[in-house]
Amino acid sequence: MTTEQQMIQKAAEGDDRAATLLFRVYQDQVYGYLLRMLKKPDMAADAAQETFIRAYKALPRYKEQGRFSAWLFHIAHREGLRMIGKY
């Protein structure tokens, strides 16, 4: 089991420290993705925050069938669409 998988498992079990460490790894990448998508720093920051809130709440249902980053960026993409009113 990789360190990321261990953090995912601990975070899914309610370990806030593990969740914080896990999401910090992706924080800049998710924000950058949303900034390119939304073109507005404030909107991108809000969408990134909401992405991590939604991901944290959904972690217990996360299935390790694909990469965690793909799952997280799917949530970010949907949140970006939600921010521009297309979802």
Side-chain angles (χ1 to χ4, degrees):
M1 184 178 285
T2 68
T3 302
E4 183 174 88
Q5 289 170 325
Q6 291 171 334
M7 283 193 296
I8 292 166
Q9 184 176 358
K10 286 180 181 181
E13 293 169 355
D15 185 333
D16 291 338
R17 185 172 182 271
T20 298
L21 293 172
L22 178 63
F23 292 146
R24 264 195 202 144
V25 171
Y26 294 101
Q27 182 177 354
D28 291 340
Q29 295 170 23
V30 167
Y31 172 76
Y33 173 77
L34 289 165
L35 182 59
R36 288 188 299 279
M37 180 181 194
L38 300 171
K39 309 281 192 251
K40 296 180 180 176
D42 290 344
M43 283 181 73
D46 289 347
Q49 181 177 10
E50 190 62 30
T51 294
F52 291 116
I53 291 169
R54 290 178 187 275
Y56 181 74
K57 289 178 180 177
L59 269 173
R61 297 185 310 274
Y62 169 70
K63 306 287 187 242
E64 293 186 35
Q65 297 171 350
R67 292 183 327 177
F68 177 77
S69 60
W71 178 78
L72 183 61
F73 276 87
H74 178 74
I75 295 170
H77 183 76
R78 288 177 47 197
E79 189 56 37
L81 291 176
R82 213 181 321 278
M83 292 291 284
I84 56 177
K86 291 189 176 182
Y87 191 74

